[in-house]
Amino acid sequence: MPPVGVLTFFLLFVTASQAQEKSVEIQPRCGASFTEAYKPIQIQVNEDSDCTWDFVRPNNETTRIVFSVLNLNPVADCSQENITVFDENLDVLGVLCPDSPRIAVFETTGSASVRVSTNSESFQRNAYVLYYSFPIGSEPANCGGDLRGFSGTIASPNYPGRHPHFAYCIWHLEVPKNTKIDLTFTEIFLEIDPACRFDFIALYDGPSTSSPLLDVLCGRTVAEVETTSNSLTLLLSTDYANSYYGFSANYVALPKSNTSALSCSGEEMTVIIDPSYITSLGYDVNDLALSNASCVAASSNPVVFNVPFSACGTVKKVDDHIVSYTNIITASPGGGVITRRKQLQIIVTCELDNESAAEIMYVTENDIIQDQQETGKYDVSLSFYESQDFNSPVLDSPYFVELNNTLFLQATLKTNDPELTVFTDTCFASSKPDFTSPNYDLIRNGCLKDDTFHNFPSGSGFSRFSFSAFKFLQAQPSVYLQCRVVICDANDSGSRCNQGCITRKRRDLGSNIRKAHAVVGPIRLKRQSGAEPLGSVSEKNEDGSKAEQSTFYLFGILVLVANVLIVAFVVLKYSRKQPSTHGYLPVPTS
Ligand SMILES: *[C@@H]1O[C@H](CO)[C@@H](O)[C@H](O)[C@H]1NC(C)=O
Ligand SMILES: *[C@@H]1O[C@H](CO)[C@@H](O)[C@H](O)[C@H]1NC(C)=O
């Protein structure tokens, strides 16, 4: 005896196969008048037709007219060839043109009529239309709905039982702007018809059934669709016979064009991250947190962070009357990690003024942080180069290096002003992206602290230097490098850029300094074969602690992710007129 499920399927299949034979009266004649409560009509007309079908219904009923196939002469002009739907007063309910979507639904009270006009080109037109009526206010099936969550499930009425006849269900799905909808059907089991004339699902990329038609589905299948907009409309339409399980589908909101999306209201920020992106980096959703590590994701599929403006470590800044709020989502590995993973930081900034809200978001995968708010004036980028001739920038990201590699870097100022010079004032390494762990200095206040650090001659708008990778790499599995670059006027002989090493106790760059940020990286170690020694030098960190080579071995394949953050302190030419009490900061009065 076959399992019940197989038997059921067999019976359904047989029924469905029989349903393909569903007899639909083709209407070769031009027009007719029907008085039935429902009737499917397969319209076939040729050129120069002007035919009207009347559906005569009592005026205490709602009449619904569903077109599921529409093939007019595709090159015809709508003014010469169309299908016009009228109500019982001959007011136009709607017009279907040659370029109209194949699915169209009209509703009226009482009788209706459909008039098909064709132009003189020889061509066989066809359309499939079903009309049915029901007492006003008593829909044959209660179904459909509005969904606003970041994820959810929808299913046909009675699912997994048989769907009702004459179901006309519309679901509206809406997710935050900057996100799209990914809808996955786990099952579709509707009447089988190659043209999906009878029972069908229509999907629209937008908030209504007048949005662009994405797809029409029927039969026994599964499917996945993705919107381009942040809303989706799903229509289920069924007729008078052959009902099966209907459908079931799940949806999630996904970032529209990136791996994460930010939307910003006057009260909070919402960040949505593609969970597969987090997985691809080797992280779990539980590894993600806001600046205040106790603030974690509100949901895991999709990954959603609700970022309050006044909690969770959100930093508020007021600049030129514009208020901005910034928080950082970081991924930190949980316990028991045995493979290194890319560092991940998503910096979200919501900028608010009286008038509007704008979003700025930066995703750093150890490569890019661009703080556009602060780089409006000067933009400094930092790039690795293959060699000391500085001809070939390293385009690969991450940048894999050997332990004993010398790394060549150039800080470049993007400016139209040729009279600006760039000076590397301070660079230091840390194992933490926020530089809270002990730092290891390469150069500080222009004074060399690491004997592998080498400055190359500067030119207009750039500064070049090199250092050996391996000192940090063997000490820490993950290293960030932050550099501070000073930008000076080339004509100013007394500027900071010309002073080299300054050993005074505390620098205070004063108010005539503007900050800029740029980041390059990551750099990582190439895979080491076996347990080859990584170098004989035992390094000390700045705080004097012994380097932990074992940490490196533990992680086997290595991975040092260095992220180089350049903080450029830009000495604004216009502001240098302000007096300063600090001798090393030149204050030309010219
Ligand atoms: C609708 O009107 C018809 C006559 O046109 C009548 O027979 C029927 O009972 C009415 N139905 C309702 C629900 O009022
Ligand atoms: C539809 O076609 C008819 C017949 O050609 C024409 O009179 C009418 O204006 C057309 N309707 C539209 C909206 O173009």
Side-chain angles (χ1 to χ4, degrees):
M1 197 178 93
V4 175
V6 171
L7 188 61
T8 312
F9 170 72
F10 178 73
L11 292 174
L12 283 168
F13 181 76
V14 168
T15 325
S17 304
Q18 286 166 348
Q20 282 181 297
E21 313 296 326
K22 193 176 202 168
S23 75
V24 176
E25 214 175 311
I26 293 181
Q27 302 290 319
R29 57 192 195 279
C30 183
S33 184
F34 302 105
T35 55
E36 291 95 329
Y38 64 87
K39 183 103 183 160
I41 303 155
Q42 178 74 56
I43 293 173
Q44 278 183 10
V45 295
N46 293 316
E47 62 274 15
D48 295 322
S49 297
D50 184 1
C51 310
T52 299
W53 284 268
D54 293 319
F55 314 141
V56 181
R57 301 306 306 141
N59 60 10
N60 57 7
E61 293 196 355
T62 296
T63 302
R64 183 174 288 144
I65 301 140
V66 181
F67 286 83
S68 55
V69 172
L70 179 68
N71 289 312
L72 295 174
N73 175 3
V75 296
D77 193 301
C78 192
S79 64
Q80 265 116 52
E81 175 152 339
N82 61 61
I83 298 177
T84 305
V85 183
F86 300 92
D87 69 8
E88 61 187 12
N89 303 317
L90 295 185
D91 289 333
V92 174
L93 289 172
V95 179
L96 299 175
C97 295
D99 62 353
S100 294
R102 56 173 282 192
I103 308 289
V105 180
F106 303 93
E107 258 177 37
T108 186
T109 300
S111 301
S113 54
V114 166
R115 176 182 174 181
V116 180
S117 311
T118 61
N119 73 3
S120 58
E121 285 179 67
S122 174
F123 181 83
Q124 182 173 311
R125 290 80 169 166
N126 65 79
Y128 183 86
V129 54
L130 166 74
Y131 83 82
Y132 57 90
S133 68
F134 48 90
I136 290 171
S138 58
E139 273 283 346
N142 272 327
C143 53
D146 286 3
L147 289 90
R148 293 266 131 88
F150 301 125
S151 63
T153 299
I154 55 175
S156 49
N158 305 338
Y159 183 86
R162 290 168 185 268
H163 64 72
H165 296 316
F166 300 120
Y168 180 73
C169 317
I170 298 178
W171 286 266
H172 298 282
L173 279 48
E174 190 180 322
V175 295
K177 62 179 174 146
N178 300 333
T179 64
K180 63 186 176 186
I181 295 170
D182 183 288
L183 181 77
T184 304
F185 287 94
T186 50
E187 175 167 34
I188 295 175
F189 198 164
L190 295 169
E191 185 171 358
I192 295 168
D193 179 53
C196 292
R197 290 171 296 173
F198 311 129
D199 301 328
F200 61 87
I201 293 163
L203 296 158
Y204 299 88
D205 192 353
S208 76
T209 53
S210 31
S211 304
L213 182 63
L214 276 176
D215 210 351
V216 179
L217 303 168
C218 69
R220 188 148 214 233
T221 185
V222 291
E224 182 172 356
V225 290
E226 210 173 86
T227 59
T228 61
S229 69
N230 66 328
S231 54
L232 174 82
T233 302
L234 188 152
L235 162 64
L236 171 69
S237 177
T238 67
D239 68 5
Y240 54 91
N242 298 327
S243 78
Y244 304 102
Y245 300 155
F247 77 92
S248 171
N250 306 313
Y251 79 91
V252 290
L254 288 178
K256 199 173 276 183
S257 54
N258 212 323
T259 50
S260 49
L262 168 68
S263 63
C264 170
S265 76
E267 286 157 325
E268 66 169 11
M269 299 182 260
T270 304
V271 187
I272 294 185
I273 308 168
D274 187 344
S276 65
Y277 173 64
I278 301 302
T279 310
S280 74
L281 296 178
Y283 286 105
D284 184 89
V285 173
N286 299 321
D287 298 332
L288 301 179
L290 291 172
S291 298
N292 178 336
S294 64
C295 296
V296 297
S299 81
S300 58
N301 187 18
V303 182
V304 177
F305 278 91
N306 297 313
V307 187
F309 286 161
S310 53
C312 290
T314 302
V315 175
K316 178 183 177 181
K317 225 177 78 184
V318 181
D319 198 5
D320 277 349
H321 306 295
I322 294 170
V323 181
S324 68
Y325 301 90
T326 298
N327 206 309
I328 304 178
I329 297 168
T330 47
S332 49
V337 182
I338 46 164
T339 49
R340 294 307 310 162
R341 302 180 278 201
K342 283 183 178 178
Q343 299 296 307
L344 173 69
Q345 268 190 300
I346 299 172
I347 302 176
V348 291
T349 298
C350 174
E351 199 180 88
L352 296 172
D353 65 15
N354 317 343
E355 296 292 321
S356 60
E359 300 92 52
I360 304 169
M361 181 176 64
Y362 316 102
V363 176
T364 74
E365 202 179 288
N366 286 330
D367 47 18
I368 297 164
I369 296 176
Q370 282 285 348
D371 187 338
Q372 294 175 347
Q373 287 173 301
E374 297 197 28
T375 55
K377 252 323 186 229
Y378 293 113
D379 187 357
V380 177
S381 67
L382 195 57
S383 306
F384 290 107
Y385 280 78
E386 303 277 9
S387 68
Q388 60 185 330
D389 60 22
F390 288 94
N391 282 332
S392 318
V394 174
L395 302 174
D396 295 347
S397 180
Y399 179 26
F400 289 93
V401 300
E402 307 272 9
L403 264 187
N404 56 357
N405 267 169
T406 299
L407 305 183
F408 300 94
L409 281 110
Q410 174 172 308
T412 310
L413 177 66
K414 289 171 193 153
T415 177
N416 292 325
D417 185 347
E419 300 190 331
L420 293 177
T421 58
V422 180
F423 176 69
T424 307
D425 176 90
T426 295
C427 284
F428 52 96
S430 169
S431 61
K432 295 265 179 63
D434 56 3
F435 293 86
T436 51
S437 67
N439 295 331
Y440 176 78
D441 281 359
L442 283 170
I443 180 170
R444 184 165 288 277
N445 299 337
C447 307
L448 300 190
K449 298 289 183 184
D450 177 274
D451 52 15
T452 71
F453 190 90
H454 175 67
N455 258 317
F456 290 83
S458 294
S460 170
F462 66 81
S463 167
R464 291 166 170 175
F465 56 93
S466 66
F467 61 93
S468 173
F470 101 113
K471 288 197 173 183
F472 333 99
L473 294 187
Q474 68 175 353
Q476 295 290 348
S478 175
V479 168
Y480 290 79
L481 186 67
Q482 175 168 329
C483 294
R484 187 161 58 211
V485 172
V486 180
I487 296 160
C488 310
D489 192 312
N491 299 321
D492 181 0
S493 60
S495 75
R496 173 72 192 93
C497 296
N498 293 319
Q499 291 175 355
C501 173
I502 289 180
T503 52
R504 296 175 199 225
K505 33 186 176 171
R506 178 84 174 89
R507 286 163 50 97
D508 181 355
L509 293 170
S511 61
N512 55 346
I513 295 299
R514 202 168 166 108
K515 283 197 287 181
H517 301 272
V519 167
V520 69
I523 53 172
R524 296 174 163 208
L525 278 189
K526 288 179 181 166
R527 282 167 185 264
Q528 303 293 308
S529 57
E532 207 173 300
L534 299 166
S536 56
V537 180
S538 178
E539 273 310 308
K540 287 177 181 249
N541 288 331
E542 189 181 52
D543 65 354
S545 69
K546 210 74 187 282
E548 291 172 33
Q549 290 199 352
S550 59
T551 305
F552 181 81
Y553 288 113
L554 179 65
F555 293 118
I557 338 174
L558 167 209
V559 175
L560 169 33
V561 181
N563 203 335
V564 181
L565 168 68
I566 227 193
V567 180
F569 284 89
V570 178
V571 182
L572 292 180
K573 289 164 74 185
Y574 67 80
S575 60
R576 278 201 267 97
K577 293 191 178 113
Q578 296 171 4
S580 167
T581 56
H582 301 285
Y584 58 82
L585 256 185
V587 187
T589 51
S590 57

